[in-house]
Amino acid sequence: MALNVVIMAAGKGTRMKSDLPKVLHKLAGTSLLQHVLAAAAQVGATRTVVITGHGAEQVEAAAAASGALFVRQLPQLGTGHAVQQAVPALNSGNPVTLILNGDVPLIRAETARALVQACGGTRLALLTIELPDATGYGRIVRDGECVRAIVEHKDASPAQRAIREVYTGIMAAPTALLARWVAALSNDNVQREYYLTDIVAMAVAEGVPVVATAAASETEVLGVNSPMQLADLERRYQRAMAESLMAAGVRLADPARLDVRGLLSCGSDVEIDVNCIFEGRVQLADGVHIGANCIVRDASIGAGAVIHPFTHIEGAVVGAGALVGPYARLRPGAELGEQVHIGNFVEVKNSTLAKGAKANHLAYLGDATVGERVNFGAGSITANYDGANKHRTVIGDDVHVGSNCVLVAPVTLGAGATIGGGSTISKPAPAGQLTVARARQATIAGWQRPKKVAKQG
Ligand code: UD1
Ligand code: CA
């Protein structure tokens, strides 16, 4: 069924005590608003309208790529007033309009879909939940089984305040009725606001059925109002992520010490030690082991590879059976073939290393093409940047680069070449031969070490 989605995002978020608009704060690496936009897309919204107000320009710029329409609400006179602003932007041909909150990020698409079904273009469907402490929420007032109204906390009588069933801020309404109802709202209440929730009593008065659907869990309807609540939701999200990975067979050393900020896909027999962060799209093939304290972003790690602790990987491909770290850094464009070894304090950027190549200690490979079985010595680097441009270093198969060498790009080392330790190589090194480019060692005969002169009285 063609669907409008309205996302309420005009509020200030005073309790965040931040200059950043509330809905742009991040949960699992993605803004709250992006989470809600993703849910709207999953539910099948054919028109999405975001109501902005505080920080409107920033919010609109951040969500520009979503294809949503933006409506500004200035000033903010309440949730009903917000929807009034959205009505002209709705597609009136879409029979149902779903209302979501920009600061309720973990709403599940299944739940929203069930609410849309419950509405069906003819009923007003409210998402509700029972809370042990309902303070601050709108209460669901029933007459027997039938929902009669939502009464805001500030307007509620002591008896109504005892009600535990609350409105989550999410509803699905027949589009034409919603438009008519919000146009008729008044602000005759304690807060002098136009309450969207007053449309429930209007529906009841007109004999339009009102149905309440219970949310499956508290997590999906919790809102973010403070840094504390944001951190709480982040932990709930991460816990759920850890549980779904473990259910798929991933062995986490500690589910409480894992952070996934994006999409992590794992093969079988993957092991992840504590305090690892995965960002963007990360793929771990069968049998990958990730050591403690690694940060992996937008990367693909091949079968059986071992990433030792404290390694940082971004925009890289690691081949099957490779060993990386501890304390290694793979930067964008690093492509390691099978069985490659990258050791401690080695940085690789925009370089390919073919099968079996090794750089085990204190090295930099930037803009390099490295052949099979190359051994790149400790302390050796490619000098790839001349201060203006980047240049490539090409190292053939089976080259052995000694320790503390500088390869001044552009330069080529032929297959099987050996480079003597301490060399600065700025011309091609021929294949299969030893090239040394450093001052010869000399011993000065009869040299005397200076002696300390005794000071005169
Ligand atoms: C609202 C509901 C309450 C429900 C609660 C759930 C009303 C009158 N009350 O209360 O029944 O239990 O949510 O969290 O709807 N917003 C605007 N423009 C405005 C006012 C709010 O865009 O003029 C947005 C806010 O940014 C927020 C959402 O609407 O995303 C809800 O506003 P908020 O002030 O948090 O609603 P409550 O008063 O808590
Ligand atoms: Ca309010």
Side-chain angles (χ1 to χ4, degrees):
M1 187 183 303
L3 177 69
N4 296 313
V5 174
V6 174
I7 300 176
M8 317 269 270
K12 184 153 193 243
T14 312
R15 281 185 283 155
M16 288 303 292
K17 299 186 176 160
S18 166
D19 288 339
L20 189 68
K22 179 163 77 174
V23 294
L24 297 187
H25 282 270
K26 287 186 174 175
L27 184 139
T30 303
S31 74
L32 301 179
L33 182 57
Q34 287 297 345
H35 282 275
V36 181
L37 285 164
Q42 277 180 54
V43 179
T46 54
R47 164 126 356 142
T48 302
V49 178
V50 181
I51 303 164
T52 61
H54 281 281
E57 274 165 24
Q58 240 180 311
V59 174
E60 290 166 14
S66 68
L69 302 178
F70 298 97
V71 168
R72 291 197 185 178
Q73 184 201 15
L74 296 164
Q76 287 91 43
L77 303 179
T79 53
H81 179 251
V83 176
Q84 280 173 8
Q85 314 312 304
V87 165
L90 298 178
N91 184 340
S92 56
N94 291 351
V96 180
T97 296
L98 172 69
I99 295 174
L100 299 177
N101 264 304
D103 60 359
V104 180
L106 299 184
I107 180 69
R108 292 180 318 131
E110 294 94 305
T111 302
R113 213 173 281 125
L115 201 64
V116 169
Q117 301 257 295
C119 167
T122 58
R123 293 168 294 268
L124 178 59
L126 309 173
L127 188 66
T128 64
I129 191 162
E130 296 222 11
L131 293 179
D133 177 7
T135 307
Y137 287 88
R139 306 300 205 280
I140 304 294
V141 177
R142 288 175 183 263
D143 184 1
E145 282 295 283
C146 298
V147 176
R148 306 300 303 182
I150 296 175
V151 178
E152 292 305 304
H153 180 90
K154 286 183 178 153
D155 299 279
S157 67
Q160 288 168 334
R161 286 187 182 182
I163 296 171
R164 299 276 165 266
E165 187 186 9
V166 304
Y167 171 54
T168 59
I170 295 171
M171 66 166 73
T175 302
L177 294 177
L178 178 71
R180 183 157 60 71
W181 290 332
V182 295
L185 289 172
S186 82
N187 65 349
D188 185 13
N189 54 52
V190 171
Q191 301 189 81
R192 294 272 147 216
E193 284 182 8
Y194 295 88
Y195 290 165
L196 176 61
T197 44
D198 284 350
I199 70 171
V200 175
M202 293 179 178
V204 170
E206 290 181 19
V208 174
V210 179
V211 290
T213 303
S217 81
E218 198 185 67
T219 302
E220 64 174 331
V221 296
L222 281 176
V224 172
N225 297 296
S226 64
M228 187 75 142
Q229 289 175 342
L230 180 59
D232 173 50
L233 266 198
E234 176 81 31
R235 283 304 101 208
R236 287 169 186 254
Y237 176 92
Q238 295 300 345
R239 179 76 204 188
M241 182 64 78
E243 283 173 8
S244 80
L245 288 167
M246 290 186 296
V250 176
R251 295 193 289 277
L252 301 177
D254 182 356
R257 284 182 287 170
L258 169 79
D259 285 85
V260 179
R261 300 171 187 161
L263 294 174
L264 172 62
S265 67
C266 296
S268 63
D269 285 301
V270 167
E271 284 187 13
I272 301 173
D273 209 334
V274 299
N275 294 334
C276 291
I277 301 176
F278 297 91
E279 298 185 323
R281 283 172 186 269
V282 174
Q283 286 180 303
L284 307 181
D286 294 350
V288 166
H289 286 201
I290 309 283
N293 302 298
C294 289
I295 299 176
V296 185
R297 181 188 183 95
D298 295 321
S300 163
I301 314 290
V306 178
I307 311 299
H308 290 294
F310 294 99
T311 290
H312 195 289
I313 298 178
E314 179 179 2
V317 176
V318 174
L323 304 180
V324 181
Y327 296 101
R329 181 170 183 210
L330 303 183
R331 291 171 52 201
E335 289 187 26
L336 314 187
E338 287 175 38
Q339 314 290 335
V340 164
H341 293 187
I342 295 295
N344 40 224
F345 308 108
V346 174
E347 175 183 349
V348 182
K349 185 217 77 171
N350 193 32
S351 295
T352 58
L353 280 78
K355 184 174 180 178
K358 292 178 181 158
N360 272 327
H361 330 266
L362 303 158
Y364 174 56
L365 282 161
D367 304 304
T369 304
V370 179
E372 295 188 8
R373 297 171 301 278
V374 164
N375 198 313
F376 198 76
S380 291
I381 66 159
T382 54
N384 57 323
Y385 185 52
D386 61 14
N389 297 297
K390 303 272 170 69
H391 301 283
R392 241 184 139 75
T393 299
V394 178
I395 304 177
D397 291 345
D398 299 298
V399 166
H400 187 106
V401 177
S403 293
N404 210 30
C405 292
V406 179
L407 308 181
V408 183
V411 71
T412 298
L413 314 184
T418 300
I419 308 299
S423 294
T424 295
I425 301 293
S426 53
K427 293 197 283 284
Q433 296 184 57
L434 171 65
T435 299
V436 185
R438 63 170 190 242
R440 265 181 195 285
Q441 180 166 328
T443 302
I444 314 298
W447 179 81
Q448 299 273 317
R449 227 186 243 182
K451 292 202 174 65
K452 200 169 180 131
V453 183
K455 273 213 176 119
Q456 305 279 308

